[in-house]
């Protein structure tokens, strides 16, 4: 057995190492200030501190913080109610999204320091030997990953773009008064309810999309049984009134539906009535793609607010970027600027002063710098009436309570001089204002209708007490003495009564009658001014405007307004503040003077009470701030508002619009479009719109088709029955034509020209029953998410290198070490030496 080698023998056997024997760069690292600095950055403790700080910073940015909140009045820290959770990055003074938090300079600095720490530690402490290749690869992979992340997050843009399925393009020839001909072209969005007008006066043409069927079945031709996207447009052109159906991919099947005088079938196919499928050959209409060239940046990624300006009447908007606008908290300088719900905490006074100047040469208001003086994250426009100051115009407003002896109670707010808000419960309760005592008699009598048939010497006068609008089963009243063999007798019934309707700056009253004569059945609008009385034949009353026309002048009708069929009328005037109640409940009319907060008993156990009267009311319109606990979490910035002002111009609240539309004819369903016109101090008008910044896509995109894939049983209206959403889109690069359709679905994004597209939202069916809103079968547009992915492959390369290094460290390194140990042992054995265990 050999003796162990002594330290002295070892020193003799191992030559001393000096700086001359080291690589050229190690002496520089080991001495002086550079050496101290590299000692710090190669310190394991320093690296641990950096990682700990990074963990804390990331936890705060992602999960938020938990802190004691003793507003409940107790100091028990063990009570969960005394602890609050909040996002520190959303507090005032920070106002950061999660992306901004992880792209802020403290985070970037920590990542740079960690990268330096890894680099210096690797160079100083880990020799570049085969046994350490795994560690070098892991550290190199991490550094490559950090570089890729800086590229990714430093150049990241992400947003969304709405893409409509089709637009309607109408082309027709217009003839001026001097005989000059010109061609007009009108385009508008193919969406139910979209309206567009062209021309003025007698030359005006009105278009309206009435219905869209995305699954219209073809009933004729070689493609019988197939389905196509169908759009029906109503056209009013002078005395011509028809509807035209357009089919995507089948322009040869375009046809018109025309109105007829047949009450049993008011609309018929033009081909059956005229022998030609096109009723108006001078009107050409077609469906075309609605290209989209912009996408809108997401505020959830980086705050990207924008103010858009244009002159009223212009088509295109000009963008102004808004820098410094918050996202999460409310900022106001005066609490009188908003409404707050009772019991809410008072909003802190924290005004803004954000300048928004022109950023484009195309800005039409280069000399105007707008300022934003307030911001509301979640607010809803609300209005209320208050007593106006001295000198305010007369505008009576009454707050009325109607109750019964059965405990039922209903409150109303009635505005005497607003026809839309002067009555309630279908006109049974009415509030009016009179200027002279002679006007009062009208409201104490029933409206009457007078009918004359001179050829038969017949004249009747009847009080109107029942209308078909309230009682659809109301029968026709036959006029005695008009019966003739083989001909129906004259008959009528009152459909509705409308008193004090504003028309052309004045007010008129009318009764709408359904009249039956030997010439057919038609409606007659009987005005209190006989010169306005006319017959209405079209089902949608489109012929109720213009010069009066009579379907049958053998019957004459006259209307004398009364109480408008109201059971209870409240009459203000002629003295300011005086109210009289006129009741027609029961057999006789009842008239009583009524003071505010007095209760008037009526027949049937009914009582009426005027809670408050404002003779000179002024309408206040302000945002109502919604409490945080009542806000929808997924509403994003949809309910945001800003307070905008211009030099020497009062500030006004401006609501947020998700996307920028050039006009109401381009608005997508369920999308707000709320521009505002502001009058500047110099008398100029400017139109403003609050939205997000937008960037060009670099290529046009169009929606060919939207495909909804459902589970077994089909789509029932519930989201759970949908399996996938797919948009078939086309691209059109500058100078080229449309590409072939490419599908984009939820889990299958596509890339084009450096941007990635993925399915984000869709247009669901909407059977809206709101007045003036047409129902929709949906599938008329799609919303695609848009974003870039710069640096992703560098990140992936870093991960691959790091994983390869781990595999090397855990599997290759042990093999190398074992082989080296075996070689050492074999060498000792050859030399006759032996190492004791």
């Amino acid at each position: 057995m050999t003796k162990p080698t002594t330290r002295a023998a070892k020193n003799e056997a191992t030559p001393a190492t000096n700086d001359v024997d080291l690589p050229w760069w190690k002496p520089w690292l080991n001495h002086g200030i550079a050496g101290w600095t590299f000692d710090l950055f190669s310190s394991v403790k320093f690296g641990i501190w950096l990682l700990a700080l990074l963990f804390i910073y990331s936890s705060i940015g992602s999960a938020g913080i938990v802190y004691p909140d003793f507003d409940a009045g107790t100091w028990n820290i063990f009570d969960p109610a005394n602890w609050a959770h909040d996002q520190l990055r959303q507090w005032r003074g920070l106002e950061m999204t999660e992306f901004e938090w992880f792209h802020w300079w403290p985070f970037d600095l920590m990542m740079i320091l960690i990268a330096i720490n890894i680099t210096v530690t690797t160079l100083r402490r880990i020799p570049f030997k085969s046994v350490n290749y795994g560690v070098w690869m892991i550290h190199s992979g991490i550094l490559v990953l950090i570089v890729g992340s800086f590229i990714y997050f430093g150049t990241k843009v992400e947003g969304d773009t709405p893409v409509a399925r089709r637009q309607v393009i109408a082309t027709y020839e217009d003839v001026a008064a001097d005989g000059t001909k010109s061609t007009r072209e009108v385009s508008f969005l193919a969406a139910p309810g979209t309206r567009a007008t062209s021309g003025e006066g007698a030359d005006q043409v009105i278009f309206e999309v009435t219905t869209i069927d995305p699954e219209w079945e073809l009933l004729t031709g070689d493609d019988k049984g197939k389905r196509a996207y169908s759009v029906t447009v109503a056209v009013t052109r002078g005395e011509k009134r028809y509807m035209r159906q357009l089919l995507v991919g089948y322009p040869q099947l375009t046809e018109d539906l025309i109105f007829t005088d047949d009450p049993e079938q008011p609309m018929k196919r033009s081909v059956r009535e005229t022998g030609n499928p096109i009723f108006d050959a001078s009107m050409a209409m077609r469906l075309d793609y609605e290209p989209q060239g912009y996408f809108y940046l997401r505020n959830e990624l980086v705050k990207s607010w924008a103010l858009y300006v244009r002159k009223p009447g212009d088509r295109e908007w000009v963008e102004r970027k808004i820098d410094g606008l918050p996202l999460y908290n409310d900022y106001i300088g005066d609490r009188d600027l908003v409404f707050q719900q009772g019991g809410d905490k008072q909003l802190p006074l924290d005004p803004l002063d954000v300048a928004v100047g022109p950023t484009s040469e195309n800005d039409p208001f280069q000399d105007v710098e707008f300022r934003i003086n307030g911001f509301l994250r979640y607010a809803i426009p609300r209005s209320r009436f208050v007593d106006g100051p001295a000198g305010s115009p007369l505008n009576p407003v009454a707050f009325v309570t109607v109750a019964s002896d059965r405990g039922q109670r209903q409150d109303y707010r009635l505005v005497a001089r607003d026809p839309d808000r002067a009555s309630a419960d279908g006109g049974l309760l009415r509030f009016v204002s009179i200027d002279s005592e002679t006007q009062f008699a009208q409201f104490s009598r029933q409206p009457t209708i007078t009918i004359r048939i001179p050829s038969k010497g017949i004249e009747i006068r009847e009080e109107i007490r029942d209308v078909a609008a309230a009682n659809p089963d109301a029968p026709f009243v036959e006029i005695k003495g008009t019966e003739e063999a083989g001909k129906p007798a004259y008959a009528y019934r009152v459909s509705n009564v409308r008193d004090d309707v504003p028309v052309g700056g004045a007010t008129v009253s009318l009764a709408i009658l359904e009249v039956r004569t030997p010439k057919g059945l038609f409606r007659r609008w009987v005005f209190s001014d006989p010169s306005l009385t006319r017959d209405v034949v079209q089902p949608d009353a489109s012929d109720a405007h213009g010069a009066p026309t009579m379907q049958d002048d053998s019957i004459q009708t006259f209307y004398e307004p009364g109480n408008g069929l109201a059971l209870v009328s409240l009459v203000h005037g002629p003295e300011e503040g005086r109210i009289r109640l006129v009741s027609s409940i029961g057999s006789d009319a009842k008239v009583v003077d009524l003071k505010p907060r007095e209760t008037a008993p009526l027949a049937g156990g009914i009582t009426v009470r005027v809670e408050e009267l404002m003779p000179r009311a002024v309408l206040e319109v302000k945002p109502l701030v919604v409490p945080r606990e009542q806000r929808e979490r997924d509403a994003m910035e949809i309910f945001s508002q800003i307070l905008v002002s211009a030099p020497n111009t009062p500030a006004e609240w401006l609501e947020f619009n998700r996307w920028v539309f050039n006009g109401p004819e381009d608005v997508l369903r369920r999308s707000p479009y709320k521009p505002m016109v502001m009058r500047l101090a110099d008398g100029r008008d400017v139109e403003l719109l609050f939205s997000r910044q937008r960037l060009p896509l670099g290529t046009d995109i169009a929606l060919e088709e939207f495909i909804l894939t459902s589970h077994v049983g089909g789509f029932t209206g519930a989201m759970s029955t949908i399996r996938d959403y797919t948009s078939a889109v086309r691209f059109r690069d500058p100078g080229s034509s449309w590409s072939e359709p490419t599908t984009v679905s939820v889990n299958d994004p596509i890339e084009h020209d450096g941007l990635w597209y993925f399915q984000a939202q869709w247009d669901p069916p909407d059977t809206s029953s709101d007045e003036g809103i047409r129902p929709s079968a949906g599938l008329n547009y799609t919303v695609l998410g848009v974003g870039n992915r710069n640096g992703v492959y560098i990140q992936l390369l870093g991960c691959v290198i790091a994983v390869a290094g781990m595999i090397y460290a855990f599997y290759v390194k042990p093999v190398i070490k074992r082989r080296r140990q075996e070689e050492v042992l074999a060498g000792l054995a050859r030399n006759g030496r032996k190492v004791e265990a």
Side-chain angles (χ1 to χ4, degrees):
M1 177 181 283
T2 59
K3 292 183 179 181
T5 306
T6 64
R7 184 177 297 274
K10 255 188 178 181
N11 290 338
E12 292 178 2
T14 305
T17 303
N18 52 48
D19 289 348
V20 178
D21 301 320
L22 295 176
W24 65 268
W25 43 269
K26 278 203 172 183
W28 182 73
L29 296 180
N30 292 332
H31 301 287
I33 297 177
W36 179 89
T37 303
F38 280 92
D39 283 343
L40 173 65
F41 281 105
S42 62
S43 169
V44 176
K45 290 184 179 180
F46 182 67
I48 293 175
W49 274 107
L50 286 176
L51 293 175
L53 288 174
L54 183 65
F55 173 78
I56 295 172
Y57 185 93
S58 301
S59 299
I60 293 174
S62 295
I65 60 173
V66 178
Y67 58 93
D69 182 11
F70 301 116
D71 288 345
T74 63
W75 293 83
N76 183 8
I77 62 174
F78 299 102
D79 185 356
N82 289 332
W83 289 88
H85 171 264
D86 212 346
Q87 286 286 358
L88 177 66
R89 57 181 171 81
Q90 297 180 3
W91 286 4
R92 296 175 184 272
L94 291 176
E95 292 280 357
M96 289 186 176
T97 65
E98 189 170 5
F99 182 90
E100 290 173 327
W101 177 263
F102 288 103
H103 198 54
W104 198 19
W105 68 264
F107 183 82
D108 291 343
L109 178 61
M110 283 188 285
M111 295 304 299
I112 292 173
L113 293 177
I114 289 174
I116 294 175
N117 180 254
I118 292 174
T119 302
V120 176
T121 301
T122 304
L123 294 175
R124 295 197 67 188
R125 295 180 176 271
I126 306 175
F128 189 68
K129 298 179 179 180
S130 60
V131 72
N132 297 325
Y133 287 169
V135 178
W136 274 72
M137 292 172 66
I138 294 172
H139 290 184
S140 299
I142 294 174
L143 294 175
V144 173
L145 179 61
I146 291 175
V147 172
S149 298
F150 269 99
I151 296 174
Y152 179 86
F153 291 105
T155 62
K156 180 66 176 176
V157 292
E158 187 172 310
D160 52 67
T161 180
V163 187
R165 191 160 179 173
R166 289 296 187 277
Q167 64 172 325
V168 181
I169 300 177
T171 307
Y172 65 97
E173 196 173 68
D174 187 30
V175 182
D178 59 358
T180 305
K181 295 182 179 181
S182 61
T183 301
R184 288 181 177 266
E185 184 173 282
V186 184
S187 62
F188 49 93
L189 186 70
T194 299
R195 291 175 61 91
T197 60
S198 175
E200 297 179 353
D203 298 327
Q204 186 181 65
V205 182
I206 302 174
F207 305 89
E208 182 179 2
V209 180
T210 57
T211 58
I212 292 182
D213 188 347
E215 295 291 333
W216 177 269
E217 184 178 359
L218 302 180
L219 302 178
T220 59
D222 297 335
D223 293 328
K224 181 180 179 180
K226 292 185 178 181
R227 298 185 180 274
Y229 187 73
S230 167
V231 179
T232 303
V233 183
V235 183
T236 303
R237 187 183 183 188
E239 296 183 356
K240 289 185 178 180
R241 178 75 168 83
Y242 58 94
M243 304 179 76
R244 179 165 296 181
Q245 184 185 36
L246 307 169
L247 299 174
V248 170
Y250 299 92
Q252 70 277 13
L253 298 182
T254 298
E255 69 170 334
D256 292 344
L257 301 174
I258 60 176
F259 293 95
T260 69
D261 296 331
D262 184 359
E264 301 296 329
Q265 191 176 0
M267 297 192 68
K268 293 183 179 180
R269 296 175 63 188
S270 174
V271 68
R272 292 184 177 179
E273 291 293 299
T274 67
N276 193 323
I278 303 300
F279 174 67
D280 185 1
S282 63
M283 175 69 69
M285 300 179 67
R286 60 188 174 89
L287 295 175
D288 201 354
Y289 296 118
E290 176 73 8
Q292 175 61 265
Y294 292 96
F295 73 101
Y296 296 81
L297 299 178
R298 289 180 53 211
N299 278 318
E300 296 82 4
L301 194 71
V302 177
K303 293 186 290 294
S304 305
W305 302 109
L307 182 69
Y308 290 83
V309 303
R310 70 180 178 186
K311 292 181 180 179
D314 285 356
R315 178 75 178 164
E316 299 295 331
W317 293 94
V318 179
E319 177 187 303
R320 292 189 178 192
K321 296 180 180 180
I322 305 176
D323 295 322
L325 194 66
L327 178 62
Y328 297 106
N329 298 285
D330 302 317
Y331 295 80
I332 57 173
D334 186 348
R335 294 190 182 95
D336 289 336
L337 293 170
V338 299
F339 293 135
Q340 286 188 258
Q341 294 185 1
D344 288 351
K345 293 182 180 179
Q346 291 294 311
L347 289 177
L349 296 181
D350 191 2
L352 292 176
D353 187 19
V354 178
V356 186
T359 56
S360 170
E361 296 179 354
N362 299 324
D363 197 309
F365 297 92
Q366 294 285 344
D367 58 330
V368 180
E369 182 181 69
F370 296 96
R371 306 197 80 85
I372 298 177
N373 309 118
F375 173 81
L376 299 176
R377 166 67 177 183
Y378 203 117
I380 302 172
R382 287 291 182 267
S383 62
R384 72 176 180 185
F385 284 98
V386 296
D387 284 316
S392 298
L394 193 67
N395 184 32
V397 174
F399 296 85
V400 182
T401 299
V402 179
S404 70
D405 55 4
R406 298 180 180 180
Q408 298 171 319
R409 172 191 170 108
Q410 185 67 46
D411 296 324
Y412 303 94
R413 183 183 70 177
L414 303 175
V415 185
R417 301 199 171 185
D418 184 344
D420 295 329
R421 292 183 286 185
S423 60
D425 288 340
L428 299 180
L429 176 63
R430 187 182 183 194
F431 183 38
V432 296
S433 179
I434 59 176
D435 300 321
S436 65
E437 189 63 29
T438 57
Q439 296 175 299
F440 180 75
Q442 168 185 336
F443 303 102
S444 59
R445 65 171 184 263
Q446 292 292 119
T448 59
I449 189 76
T450 300
I451 297 179
R452 297 174 186 167
I453 306 177
S455 62
K456 298 183 179 295
I458 295 175
E459 178 175 338
I460 60 173
R461 186 175 185 272
E462 298 286 345
E463 289 186 349
I464 301 175
R465 293 187 175 274
D466 193 13
V467 295
N471 179 18
D473 297 326
F476 276 80
V477 178
E478 290 195 357
I479 302 175
K480 295 181 179 180
T482 62
E483 303 87 353
E484 291 186 21
K487 294 182 180 180
Y490 285 75
Y492 76 95
R493 71 172 179 176
V494 181
S495 295
N496 207 347
V497 169
R498 298 287 303 275
D499 287 346
D500 300 326
V501 178
V503 175
T507 58
V508 297
S509 300
L510 77 154
I512 302 176
L513 272 63
E514 293 179 70
V515 182
R516 188 176 66 206
T517 73
K519 291 187 176 181
L521 177 67
F522 53 90
R523 285 180 295 167
R524 176 167 292 181
W525 288 19
V526 186
F527 288 83
S528 55
D529 180 356
S531 65
L532 299 176
T533 297
R534 69 199 59 210
D535 290 341
V536 178
V537 179
Q538 303 291 5
D540 62 349
S542 61
D543 53 350
H545 309 282
T549 58
M550 304 302 291
Q551 181 77 5
D552 189 347
D553 56 7
S554 68
I555 180 172
Q556 301 174 359
T557 49
F558 304 90
Y559 175 63
E560 188 176 339
N563 59 14
L565 296 182
L567 296 179
V568 177
S569 296
L570 296 172
V571 183
H572 174 270
E575 299 88 359
E576 183 174 326
R578 182 186 182 188
I579 290 185
R580 281 172 282 183
L581 182 148
V582 181
S583 171
S584 60
I585 300 176
S587 57
D588 299 323
K590 177 179 181 180
V591 179
V592 295
D593 278 283
L594 192 62
K595 295 181 179 180
R597 304 196 176 224
E598 284 186 355
T599 301
L602 305 178
I606 297 175
T607 61
V608 177
R609 176 185 173 96
V610 177
E611 303 290 349
E612 186 177 4
L613 174 66
M614 298 178 182
R616 299 180 182 272
V618 175
L619 183 64
E620 280 189 343
V621 180
K622 297 189 291 189
L624 171 66
V625 180
V626 178
R628 287 183 177 271
E629 60 274 11
Q630 298 179 17
R631 301 177 182 181
E632 297 182 21
R633 294 187 59 183
D634 298 331
M636 300 182 292
E637 70 276 73
I638 292 176
F639 297 102
S640 298
Q641 298 188 36
I642 56 175
L643 188 64
V644 185
S645 65
N648 302 316
T649 303
E652 297 184 56
W653 287 105
L654 183 59
E655 298 180 59
F656 176 77
N657 300 265
R658 188 176 182 190
W659 297 302
V660 178
F661 302 105
N662 289 330
E665 67 276 7
D666 301 320
V667 177
L668 298 175
R669 198 175 186 87
R670 290 176 293 274
S671 301
Y673 176 67
K674 301 174 182 178
M676 176 186 72
V677 177
M678 176 181 286
R679 175 66 57 85
L680 301 177
D682 57 8
R684 291 179 297 170
D685 288 336
V686 55
E687 195 170 7
L688 303 173
L689 187 138
F690 176 42
S691 186
R692 300 174 288 165
Q693 296 175 27
R694 61 185 182 183
L695 296 176
L697 290 169
T699 180
D700 288 336
I701 184 172
L703 178 63
E704 175 67 38
E705 183 182 9
F706 189 87
I707 305 168
L708 191 66
T709 307
S710 61
H711 292 288
V712 177
F715 176 60
T716 64
M719 295 298 105
S720 58
T721 61
I722 300 174
R723 185 158 54 92
D724 198 4
Y725 316 88
T726 303
S727 296
V729 298
R730 294 177 183 265
F731 295 98
R732 183 177 63 186
D733 295 321
S736 63
S737 58
W738 290 107
S739 67
E740 290 299 315
T742 305
T743 58
V744 183
S745 61
V746 175
N747 297 315
D748 187 16
I750 61 173
E751 187 271 341
H752 183 84
D753 199 21
L755 292 175
W756 286 83
Y757 297 83
F758 56 92
Q759 186 66 49
Q761 297 177 36
W762 67 299
D763 175 30
D766 181 7
T767 56
S768 175
S769 59
D770 294 342
E771 184 178 356
I773 300 179
R774 295 185 179 272
S776 170
L779 311 185
N780 297 311
Y781 68 88
T782 187
V783 180
L784 301 177
V786 183
N788 61 5
R789 301 178 64 184
N790 300 333
V792 169
Y793 293 112
I794 298 177
Q795 292 175 312
L796 181 61
L797 176 62
C799 293
V800 170
I801 295 174
V803 170
M806 294 178 188
I807 295 174
Y808 189 96
F810 286 104
Y811 296 100
V812 179
K813 180 179 177 179
V815 174
I816 295 174
K817 292 181 67 177
R818 184 171 61 252
R819 288 181 178 177
R820 286 187 176 181
Q821 186 178 12
E822 291 174 352
E823 291 176 358
V824 171
L825 294 176
L828 292 174
R830 285 194 299 270
N831 295 329
R833 301 177 66 185
K834 186 173 164 185
V835 179
E836 293 183 353

